[in-house]
Each structure stands twice: as C-alpha cells, then as structure tokens.
C-alpha cells in the first residue's frame, strides 16, 4: 500500500523521526535485549530483518543493460553479494514478495499499470529515435524480475515467502510475531503498522550497512498523535484501499480549520500543512473511549459509505492480537476456493503451501482465486508485426488451465470453468478481466489427475509428468531429448518452438539468435557477458528479449502444474538467457553472419546448435509452419506500389556522430550490420544542431555498412556530438564507396568525390540522393 505524501512529509518536516543507524550495531543491541528477556522471543535465534522484496527490486537491479531483457547472471552476483553483506554481520534475512493482487486493490493496480504503459511508450520512442537505451529516468524493470528473484534468493539459501494477503500486512505481522530487529523496505505503510522499526532500503549503504530508521513514535510526538491513531490518519490521507478522492472533503475541512487556528504555514512542502491539519483533526475528535475500543470517532462528518470504507482501511493495519473494529481476524484463505469442485482438498492444501514457500507459480492464483495477472512488458504499441506477449502465450495458459481443471471433463462447454486474466498488453484498456476458458491438451492419453501428477511416484508417473509439460507447448516430439541435452536447453527449445508456432512473423534469423545465445551462454562468465559491445539497440530485439523471458515464467507455471518434471533451476533465465548476449546474436544473425562465428567459433556449441535447430525445424514442418529468412520476407512483402510512401521494415540505426571538417564523411570498419530493402521516400531528423533531412526517390537493394560508422554532413560547433540516423538507402550508397576503396579501412567522401556541396546540402547525383539542413 502506501500513504499519500506521508514519506516525503516525514523526511522534510520531521527530521527528528529520521534516525541514521548502523545495522551491525543495531543487530548487536537487539541480541543483547533478547538475551535479557528470552521469554519475549522464544523462537528467535538471532537478529532478523523482514525484507520487502518488491521494494528492493529497483535497488538490486543495478546492471547497466535493462531494455535487452535482463543481465541475469550479473544480477545473481549482485544478489549474492547483497545477501553476503548481511550474513557477515550475523543478520538473518526473511524475504516477502507479492503473491497476488487483492480485488480491493485492483483499481490502484490498473492505474499504475496504465502509468507504466505510458512510460514504456516513451522508452520505445527514445530507442527508435536514438538507437540506444534511455537513461535511468525512463528505467523499467526487466520482465519477470520479481518472479525469478524469489527463486534466485531461495537458491542462495534464503527464506522466502509469497503473500496470500496484502504483502505489507504479512511483513508487518511476521516482524511483530518474530521480534524482528526491523523491516527493510520503502513504503510509508510501515510507519503506520505497530510493528518492528521501519528501515529504508533507498537509504541503505550496503558497504557500511548503514541506513535511515523512520521512528514512528517520534513521528507521533511531532504531529500530536498516538500510535493507535495512525491507521485512521493513513486512511484519511488516502492509500491503496481508501482512495484519496473519497476523503477529499474531510481533508479540505481539516485544512481550512487548521489554517484559521495556525495561519503560519509549516516549513516544508505544501503537503506538510495538510498532514498536520488531518493529524490535528484526528487528535481533536478521538476521545478516550474511542481510543480504547479502536472505533472511528462519531464526531467525524462521514457518510455511511465513507465510514464503511474507513473500517476496511483501518482493519488492514491491525495486526493479529491488536484491537479490531468489531471484525474477526483477516482470513488467511478465501472461504471457498474458486475451483474447489474441480480438485481435491489435498491439491488445494499443497497448492497453498507451495505458493507461500515461493516454490510455485501461477497455480495457486488459478485454483484458489480463479484470477491471474501479468504486469507490463517492454512492448511497442506501434509495432503491429509482433503479437503482444499475453496473446502469444494465451494458448499455453489455456492448456495449463485444462491440465489443472479438466480431469474427467469431456471438453464440452457445459459447466466449463473460466479464469479471469488481468494481463497488460497493447490494445487492452484494462477495464475488466479477460475471461479465458481452458483447453484440452493433445495428450496421447486422458488428462491425468493432479493427485497422480503431484503425489505419486515411479518411472511411469515421471514420464507422464514430462508428457503433460511438453503437451502444453505442443512439443511432445522432444521427449526423447530428456537426458540427452541439459534440462535448461530442453526448456529453451520448447519455448522457442512454441513461440515460432504462435508468431508467424518470426524468421530464421530470430530462431538463430534465440538458440545460439542459449547454447553459448553456458560457456560465458558474468564478466564476459558484461564486456559484450552492442553497436546499437534494436527495438524489435528488445521486444523479442522480453517475449522470451515472459515465456520462461509460463514454462515455470506449466512445470508446477505438471508436477515438476523439470527442476525449477532449469527454467531460470540465468541458465538460458542473457539480454546483452541475445541482442548481440540478433544483430549478427540478421547480418548473414556465418554460423561458426555466431557460435563463437566453438565446434561443440555449433554441433549442439545444429541439433536443436534441426529439431525445431522438424517440429515446425510437421505442423505446416515453414520458416523463412526475415530479409527475403521483407523484400517480398515491401515491394513498392503506385502512390505508396513506403516504410522502414526495421527501425533505423542511430549512432553518435562527432563533428569533422564540413562536408566530410568518414567510415570506420567495426561491426557489419545488415538492413532490409526499403522503398521510395523517408525523412530522418538529426537532433542537436538543427534538422537534417534526406530524401531518396528510387528503390535500392538491401545494403550493408559498418556499424559504429562516423558521419558528418555539416558542422554546427567544434567537438559537438549529434545523432544521425542511417537508413538502408543512404547506407547502400556509402557501402558502394567502401567497396570501391577496399585498400583503405577509412574512406573519406570529400567534395571531390561523387558527393558535392550545394549550399547546406550534400548531393549524390547518381542516385538522386541529397542530405540537407532544414529548419
């Protein structure tokens, strides 16, 4: 959750409540207090910090590249180092992650998803305009980061919980019950809960283990409240349960009354006066009896709706054993699981246990809640060539739902269950959930019961689990590969094959990029991966990287539903995917690079790659899916027609260009990049020293040029950097010059070459090309 404006108010207006602490010293003091009174903490073996994992993700993911799909091995090293810093101080960490979105928070969830959607649009505009990754001001977490971080921490020996209720509530409850030394997170709700001290992860210095502690009792003294009154303050200010708009009239009245009594504005942000005004209101209307019983003051001018919603909001802050507003304890499970009649009680129990322990994925939300959701993915709304990931993987989800829910069902529409999906993708307004029906998998036998898949043993059951898993991705042909190749490669092959069958616009080059990076990743260290240089960023490759990682989470869900035929570790991205490596392979594959070079000149990698590729091609041929080269398909589908203005098949390349003497262009041999054929007329803008436009009036064939090439078509200022955009037409002309001068690595196109100046323009007469400066 989070209280509107409270965090900034505490930091700016209540400095006495922000205490700098050293966690090593704090741990020692905590142990000393525990030794003095063992009865108060019988289950405590040492200092514990409850960690809000969701709040830490942005601080953990410090890797340079993030748009490419994630630097997962580097990220694993970050987590290992971070955990080690606390372990060396004798501090035990317990991590909590959001398990699902409660319906009372759905509106707020949708609002945030729409906001992030707008930010992602800006990211793609930036990449297509500049050919590079945006700065941290447009930072977006890699897809699936929260899901895979939970598994990563468990692999590092850490205790991890996935929430069933509101995650903040479970964190505060755990910290209170286990006498934790603190809660590490970045959420003002932890000031409101009467629980362990709230420690800031944003202020954490991992090297020295120092941070800021937000002291709720000092805060209360600053605003004239008691700790028991904080939940009412939080709800009147607005949070994820009590919308800010619903209590607007109460805050307005409180602020007006406060200004009459205290006309001098409080130093700090304007929000500060409102927090003080509402605090004064709560203190003035809450008498002793109401404070004792935890009731909402009757003197508050509230409608019936406002009073009821305030009760719900305050209940969210009351931990077990604390006073409640005439309500029972918040239930740990829904009274009736969504699909109780389709599965056994033992399955529901096991499902919940796996979910809480962070070992399951998607299965609990489907069986017990009947709802599943997926947050934002790096997808370009303007790119109609690629299908949104939610739709790409919809069929495999339907087959997974069928495995979970259709045992003994004949597949008819009668009494067919339905799952509500809240998936963010281009074209989905998120006004309501998508209702998705399960499908019967094409198994060679009847759908097995979950009790058999989950609880039975023996070679026949093991084989049935694998068959069930492969059927969800239409990859039954690959069962013979189990044991012949690594499990992570088998999973990668299934995922790429399924994706190719679903997305008709994927090409041979895309498949080569996916498979080559999965094969080569096994032999690369995190340091080698960090040293990979990318000449530019392709927005299409960004989408394909995110598509793959989202697919890994679907593999994980299908594996859980099938009784885990594959170890979960084999489905983790650090075993089959690296964003920077994939991006480099994508650029090479789309450049006609020899397979030996694509596979790092490794005979073993090449042999394995060829084997996987042949299996994929064979599976596709059996289903009538014939893969084509992306270049040939582009030429075939983008022939010019009368009156057609033409469009780039791919985003133009964007490179940094330093200034050189006026009218000169320099090519430097670096890394070759291929571009598809394009037609007729385009316009390119150079940002920095004004606009530069070019026009091409005739069709050219596919051209190549050396990436990282440097070009200057005019001079604004000495040593000033601008960005220029290369397109296939312009590159084709320049490449011809390179081919005509093979003896020199650097070819200068001066005024005495085919290029010549005309005012502020560079002209090339043979191909009717001009590059000119305009306003």
């Amino acid at each position: 959750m989070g209280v509107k404006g409270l965090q900034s108010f505490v930091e700016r207006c209540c400095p006495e409540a922000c205490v700098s602490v050293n966690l090593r010293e704090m741990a020692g003091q905590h142990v000393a207090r525990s030794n003095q009174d063992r009865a108060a903490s019988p289950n405590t073996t040492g200092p514990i910090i409850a960690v809000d994992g969701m709040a830490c993700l942005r601080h953990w993911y410090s890797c340079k590249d993030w748009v490419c799909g994630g630097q997962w091995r580097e990220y694993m090293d970050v987590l290992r180092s971070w955990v080690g810093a606390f372990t060396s101080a004798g501090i035990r960490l317990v991590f909590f992650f959001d398990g699902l979105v409660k319906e009372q928070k759905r509106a707020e969830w949708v609002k945030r998803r729409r906001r992030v959607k707008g930010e992602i649009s800006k990211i793609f505009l930036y990449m297509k305009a500049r050919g590079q990754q945006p700065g941290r001001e447009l930072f977006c977490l890699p897809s699936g980061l929260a899901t895979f971080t939970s598994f990563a921490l468990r692999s590092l020996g850490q205790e991890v919980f996935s929430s069933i209720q509101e995650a903040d509530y479970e964190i505060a409850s755990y910290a209170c019950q286990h006498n934790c030394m603190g809660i590490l997170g970045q959420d003002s709700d932890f000031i409101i809960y009467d629980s362990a001290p709230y420690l800031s992860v944003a202020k954490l210095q991992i090297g020295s283990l120092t941070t800021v502690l937000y002291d709720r009792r000092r805060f209360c003294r600053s605003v004239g409240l008691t700790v028991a009154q904080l939940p009412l303050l939080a709800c009147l200010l607005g949070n994820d349960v009590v919308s800010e708009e619903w209590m607007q009239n109460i805050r307005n009245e409180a602020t007006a009354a406060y200004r009459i009594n205290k006309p001098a504005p409080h130093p700090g942000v304007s929000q500060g006066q409102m927090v003080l005004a509402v605090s004064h209101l709560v203190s003035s209307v809450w008498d002793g009896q109401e404070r004792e019983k935890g009731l909402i003051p009757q003197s508050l001018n509230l409608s019936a709706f406002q009073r009821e919603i305030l009760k719900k909001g305050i209940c969210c802050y009351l931990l077990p054993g604390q006073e409640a507003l005439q309500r029972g304890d918040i239930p740990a499970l829904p009274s009736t699981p969504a699909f109780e009649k389709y599965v056994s009680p033992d399955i529901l129990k096991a499902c919940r246990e796996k979910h809480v322990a962070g070992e399951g994925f998607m299965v609990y939300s489907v069986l017990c809640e009947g709802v599943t959701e997926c947050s934002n993915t790096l997808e370009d709304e303007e790119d109609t060539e690629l299908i949104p990931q939610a739709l790409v993987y919809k069929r495999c989800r339907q087959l997974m739902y069928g495995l979970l829910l259709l045992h003994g069902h004949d597949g008819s529409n009668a009494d067919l269950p339905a799952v509500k999906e809240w998936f963010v993708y281009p074209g989905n307004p998120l006004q309501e959930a998508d209702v998705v029906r399960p499908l019967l998998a094409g198994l060679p036998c009847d759908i097995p019961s979950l009790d058999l898949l989950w609880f039975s043993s023996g070679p026949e059951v093991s084989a049935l689990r694998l068959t069930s898993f492969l059927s969800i991705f239409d990859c039954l042909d690959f069962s013979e590969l189990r044991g012949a190749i690594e499990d992570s490669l088998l999973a990668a092959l299934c995922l790429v094959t399924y994706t190719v069958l679903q997305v008709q616009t994927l090409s041979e080059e895309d498949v080569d990029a996916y498979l080559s990076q999965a094969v080569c990743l096994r032999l690369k260290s995190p340091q080698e991966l960090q040293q990979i240089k990318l000449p530019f960023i392709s927005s299409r490759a960004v989408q394909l990287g995110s598509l793959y990682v989202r697919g890994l989470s679907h593999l994980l869900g299908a594996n859980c539903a099938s009784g885990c035929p594959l170890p979960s570790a084999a489905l983790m991205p650090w075993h089959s995917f690296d964003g920077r490596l994939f991006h480099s392979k994508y650029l090479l594959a789309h450049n006609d690079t020899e397979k030996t070079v694509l596979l790092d000149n490794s005979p073993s990698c090449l042999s394995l790659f060829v084997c996987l590729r042949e299996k994929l091609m064979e599976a596709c041929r059996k289903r009538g899916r014939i893969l084509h080269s992306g270049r040939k398909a582009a030429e075939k589908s983008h022939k010019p027609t009368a009156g057609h203005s033409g469009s780039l098949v791919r985003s133009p390349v964007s490179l940094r260009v330093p200034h050189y003497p006026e009218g000169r262009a320099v090519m430097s041999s670096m890394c070759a990049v291929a571009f598809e054929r394009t037609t007729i007329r385009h316009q390119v803008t150079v940002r920095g020293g004004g606009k530069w436009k070019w026009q091409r009036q005739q069709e050219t064939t596919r051209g190549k040029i050396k990436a990282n090439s440097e070009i200057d078509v005019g001079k604004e200022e000495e040593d000033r950097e601008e960005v220029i955009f290369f397109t296939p037409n312009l590159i084709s002309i320049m490449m011809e010059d390179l081919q005509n001068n093979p003896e020199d690595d650097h070819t200068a196109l001066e005024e005495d070459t085919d290029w010549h100046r005309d005012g502020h323009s560079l002209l090339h007469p043979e191909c009717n090309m001009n590059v000119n400066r305009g306003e």
Side-chain angles (χ1 to χ4, degrees):
M1 296 188 337
V3 183
K4 307 296 183 183
L6 184 60
Q7 186 86 31
S8 59
F9 172 80
V10 174
E11 292 176 348
R12 300 184 187 187
C13 304
C14 302
E16 65 277 11
C18 306
V19 184
S20 296
V21 294
N22 183 297
L23 297 182
R24 292 178 185 273
E25 297 175 358
M26 192 174 171
Q29 296 166 0
H30 183 83
V31 170
R33 286 194 301 271
S34 297
N35 289 336
Q36 292 176 1
D37 188 7
R38 274 292 175 188
S41 54
N43 299 322
T44 302
T45 57
I48 303 173
I49 292 181
V51 183
D52 182 357
M54 301 300 292
C56 295
L57 293 176
R58 285 181 172 267
H59 304 281
W60 285 333
Y61 195 87
S62 57
C63 312
K64 178 182 177 182
D65 287 332
W66 47 271
V67 295
C68 297
Q71 301 299 112
W72 294 96
R73 290 196 173 178
E74 182 182 350
Y75 181 63
M76 280 293 292
D77 283 350
V78 171
L79 291 178
R80 188 177 292 108
S81 175
W82 197 88
V83 168
F86 286 90
T87 303
S88 66
I91 299 172
R92 175 183 156 207
L93 300 175
V94 179
F95 297 88
F96 291 81
F97 289 86
D98 287 342
L100 46 88
V101 178
K102 305 302 289 186
E103 282 310 302
Q104 64 186 12
K105 294 185 60 177
R106 182 64 66 187
E108 186 65 28
W109 183 87
V110 168
K111 185 187 299 184
R112 291 175 182 174
R113 301 287 71 78
R114 288 173 177 166
R115 185 185 70 244
V116 174
K117 186 179 179 182
E119 294 170 355
I120 288 175
S121 295
K122 295 178 183 178
I123 290 173
F124 276 96
L125 286 174
Y126 188 99
M127 288 190 297
K128 289 187 290 186
R130 294 172 172 81
Q132 61 187 15
Q133 176 178 279
R136 296 289 286 196
E137 68 277 2
L138 285 178
F139 175 71
C140 181
L141 293 174
S143 297
L145 190 68
T147 297
F148 295 116
T149 299
S150 175
F151 283 87
L153 291 168
R154 289 186 68 251
S155 73
L156 296 174
Q158 299 303 295
E159 190 172 2
V160 180
F161 291 106
S162 182
S163 69
I164 288 179
Q165 301 166 232
E166 166 65 38
D168 293 352
Y169 175 85
E170 293 194 9
I171 294 169
S173 297
Y174 181 94
C176 187
Q177 293 170 7
H178 292 79
N179 190 31
C180 290
M181 64 174 273
I183 295 171
L184 183 63
Q186 200 63 32
D187 193 321
S188 53
D189 276 335
F190 295 127
I191 297 176
I192 307 301
Y193 287 112
D194 188 6
S195 183
Y198 164 33
L199 305 166
S200 169
V201 68
K203 308 288 186 181
L204 176 66
Q205 301 294 321
I206 194 65
S208 59
L209 281 185
T210 57
T211 187
V212 170
L213 184 156
Y214 297 102
D215 192 314
R216 69 178 60 85
R217 284 171 173 74
R218 292 188 182 187
F219 166 69
C220 285
R221 287 197 292 271
S222 297
V223 297
L225 294 177
T226 66
V227 172
Q229 294 170 324
L230 291 179
L232 178 57
L233 171 70
C235 293
L236 291 177
L237 291 174
N239 53 35
D240 288 356
V241 175
V242 184
S243 173
E244 193 175 6
E245 292 77 18
W246 292 340
M247 299 297 158
Q248 185 66 53
N249 65 316
I250 301 297
R251 291 194 303 275
N252 289 343
E253 292 173 4
T255 302
Y258 185 79
R259 286 173 178 167
I260 293 174
N261 297 326
K262 297 187 177 181
H266 187 280
V269 294
S270 58
Q271 177 79 0
Q273 193 170 53
M274 187 180 71
V275 173
L276 288 171
V278 176
S279 299
H280 180 75
L281 171 67
V282 171
S283 177
S284 63
V285 300
W286 200 332
D287 62 28
Q289 183 181 8
E290 290 162 340
R291 181 183 303 137
E292 181 182 347
K293 294 183 178 180
L295 299 175
I296 297 174
Q298 292 296 324
S299 54
L300 274 178
N301 184 23
L302 299 172
S303 66
F305 168 78
Q306 287 175 318
R307 192 168 294 276
E308 185 61 30
I309 199 67
L310 274 181
K311 283 185 179 181
K312 292 181 180 179
I314 292 173
C315 285
C316 293
Y317 290 110
L318 300 177
L319 305 178
Q322 297 176 359
E323 283 293 335
L325 292 170
Q326 299 177 348
R327 54 97 178 166
D329 290 333
I330 298 175
L333 273 175
S335 56
T336 303
F339 297 123
E340 183 180 35
K341 68 178 181 178
Y342 294 96
V343 293
S344 70
D346 289 339
I347 288 295
L348 292 175
K349 179 182 177 183
C351 184
R352 181 181 184 274
E353 291 173 350
K354 287 176 178 290
H355 174 85
V356 170
E359 298 176 357
F361 178 73
M362 198 182 290
V363 176
Y364 172 82
S365 63
V366 171
L367 290 181
C368 296
E369 299 289 331
V371 179
T372 185
E373 60 261 331
C374 180
S375 187
N376 304 82
T377 301
L378 282 177
E379 295 179 307
D380 185 6
E381 289 196 358
E382 296 181 356
D383 186 349
T384 58
E385 179 186 324
L386 291 175
I387 305 171
Q389 62 85 17
L391 303 183
V392 172
Y393 296 116
K394 180 178 179 179
R395 176 175 172 79
C396 84
R397 291 196 302 276
Q398 288 180 286
L399 293 171
M400 184 181 73
Y401 302 157
L403 185 65
L404 292 172
L405 299 169
L406 296 186
H407 172 63
H409 199 283
D410 60 6
S412 65
N413 291 330
D415 194 33
L416 194 65
V419 178
K420 295 180 179 179
E421 291 188 344
W422 288 93
F423 276 59
V424 183
Y425 59 89
N428 183 10
L430 293 175
Q431 293 176 350
E432 58 184 5
D434 294 331
V435 178
V436 179
R437 304 286 179 179
L439 293 176
L440 285 170
L443 288 168
C445 59
D446 292 335
I447 291 182
S449 70
L450 292 185
D451 295 85
L452 175 64
L453 289 175
W454 288 23
F455 303 136
S456 298
S457 59
E460 297 85 0
V461 176
S462 297
L464 186 58
R465 287 179 182 133
L466 181 62
T467 300
S468 300
F469 172 79
L470 294 176
S471 69
I472 292 175
F473 297 94
D474 200 12
C475 291
L476 285 173
D477 300 340
F478 298 157
S479 59
E480 62 188 39
L481 294 175
R482 181 69 193 277
I485 61 175
E486 297 175 17
D487 288 337
S488 59
L489 287 180
L490 175 59
L493 178 62
C494 290
L495 179 54
V496 177
T497 302
Y498 172 87
T499 307
V500 169
L501 292 173
Q502 297 299 313
V503 186
Q504 297 298 308
T505 53
L506 290 186
S507 65
E508 291 180 350
E509 292 80 10
D510 299 329
V511 169
D512 291 347
Y514 275 139
L515 295 181
S516 63
Q517 73 89 31
V519 169
C520 294
L521 178 63
R522 300 150 47 253
L523 305 180
K524 294 190 179 294
S525 67
Q527 292 72 31
E528 290 175 307
L529 295 171
Q530 292 177 49
Q531 292 170 3
I532 294 174
K533 303 298 182 183
L534 299 177
F536 67 95
I537 297 296
S538 161
S539 64
R540 186 173 185 274
V542 166
Q543 292 190 86
L544 292 183
S546 293
L547 180 66
Y548 184 92
V549 177
R550 281 296 186 203
L552 287 176
S553 66
H554 284 75
L555 284 174
L556 192 58
N559 194 54
C560 293
S562 305
C564 297
L566 299 180
S568 296
L571 309 177
M572 296 299 110
W574 46 90
H575 289 307
S576 70
F577 184 82
D578 178 86
R580 189 180 295 180
L581 179 63
F582 169 73
H583 216 95
S584 69
K585 298 299 184 186
Y586 176 92
L587 296 178
L588 290 171
H590 281 269
N591 183 43
D592 282 335
T593 302
E594 293 290 335
K595 295 297 187 288
T596 53
V597 177
L598 188 65
L599 276 299
D600 297 340
N601 296 306
S602 168
S604 63
C605 287
L606 179 60
S607 175
L608 185 54
F609 167 81
V610 171
C611 173
L612 298 179
R613 196 177 192 274
E614 288 178 352
K615 289 290 184 181
L616 181 146
M617 293 295 186
E618 181 182 355
C620 288
R621 281 193 297 270
K622 288 182 178 179
R623 293 154 181 81
R625 170 71 161 100
I626 306 301
L627 274 166
H628 298 284
S629 166
R631 295 179 294 278
K632 294 178 181 177
E635 290 179 15
K636 182 178 180 181
S637 61
H638 288 79
K639 290 183 179 179
T641 57
H644 176 55
S645 63
S647 62
L648 282 173
V649 179
R650 298 281 182 268
S651 300
V653 186
S654 166
L655 301 172
R656 284 285 172 186
V657 183
H659 277 280
Y660 287 93
E662 204 168 354
R664 182 178 179 217
V666 179
M667 308 285 191
S668 63
S669 302
M670 296 290 285
C671 172
V673 179
F675 298 88
E676 290 84 352
R677 178 176 184 153
T678 188
T679 61
I680 311 225
R681 181 187 180 101
H682 301 286
Q683 176 173 303
V684 176
T685 300
V686 176
R687 305 184 186 281
K691 291 184 177 179
W692 289 85
K693 301 177 181 178
W694 67 268
Q695 296 177 351
R696 172 75 167 119
Q697 301 298 339
Q698 68 183 59
E699 184 179 359
T700 65
T701 58
R702 177 173 58 86
K704 296 180 183 178
I705 195 170
K706 304 299 181 180
N708 285 351
S709 297
E710 297 173 326
I711 278 207
D712 180 48
V713 290
K715 177 181 176 185
E716 288 293 321
E717 296 176 5
E718 287 294 338
D719 302 323
R720 178 171 177 177
E721 243 188 18
E722 295 181 0
V723 178
I724 189 167
F725 302 89
F726 298 97
T727 62
N729 303 343
L730 182 58
I731 287 168
S732 178
I733 298 163
M734 297 177 174
M735 190 61 188
E736 290 175 9
D737 189 271
L738 278 178
Q739 293 171 346
N740 293 332
N741 297 272
E743 71 283 356
D744 195 351
D745 286 339
H746 297 79
T747 301
L749 305 181
E750 308 253 15
E751 292 183 31
D752 57 353
T753 67
D754 288 339
W755 293 88
H756 66 273
R757 286 184 51 80
D758 181 8
H760 287 293
S761 296
L762 290 177
L763 302 180
H764 194 286
E766 290 184 2
C767 31
N768 193 24
M769 168 78 75
N770 70 77
V771 184
N772 60 15
R773 179 172 183 267
E775 297 303 322

